[in-house]
Amino acid sequence: MVIISNVTYPPESTKEIAKRYLKAPVLPEFINKKGPYVSASKINGMNSITYYELDNNRLAEGLQAVAESLAIYFGVPGYKYNLKPYFELEEGLNILGL
């Protein structure tokens, strides 16, 4: 399974985001981080997506670790994030009882 974080912030907050990124806590070894991947837009500002791969049985622990790593950015003007778990198709079908 993966957890995906989607982070947005205005361009004027980029320097502060970068400073805090360098000080962010290290994630546990059971999480395989891919990204962040960043895009920019004059209309929507900065957008960053990161994928965190982990075993299903560590979901709660993984969500906690990722949320704590994103909390370092609290207080940066305009910073917002969304955090969601995504299951592989077969796992998702099992959840739906199919």
Side-chain angles (χ1 to χ4, degrees):
M1 78 170 315
V2 296
I3 298 170
I4 299 178
S5 69
N6 188 355
V7 173
T8 59
Y9 51 92
E12 51 273 6
S13 293
T14 300
K15 285 185 181 180
E16 184 60 29
I17 291 286
K19 270 194 249 179
R20 294 184 188 204
Y21 178 79
L22 297 173
K23 297 177 182 178
V26 176
L27 292 170
E29 289 186 19
F30 69 86
I31 297 176
N32 183 20
K33 180 180 172 183
K34 305 278 185 163
Y37 302 99
V38 181
S39 68
S41 163
K42 279 189 166 187
I43 297 168
N44 298 316
M46 306 302 289
N47 189 33
S48 169
I49 296 175
T50 306
Y51 300 85
Y52 307 88
E53 297 174 331
L54 67 157
D55 291 334
N56 290 4
N57 62 346
R58 306 221 53 189
L59 175 60
E61 193 179 357
L63 282 169
Q64 180 72 32
V66 173
E68 287 173 4
S69 75
L70 294 173
I72 195 165
Y73 304 104
F74 289 175
V76 174
Y79 170 78
K80 297 177 187 174
Y81 79 90
N82 186 341
L83 196 59
K84 288 183 173 183
Y86 287 84
F87 299 91
E88 292 183 28
L89 181 59
E90 287 181 11
E91 297 165 334
L93 293 175
N94 286 340
I95 291 170
L96 297 173
L98 299 175

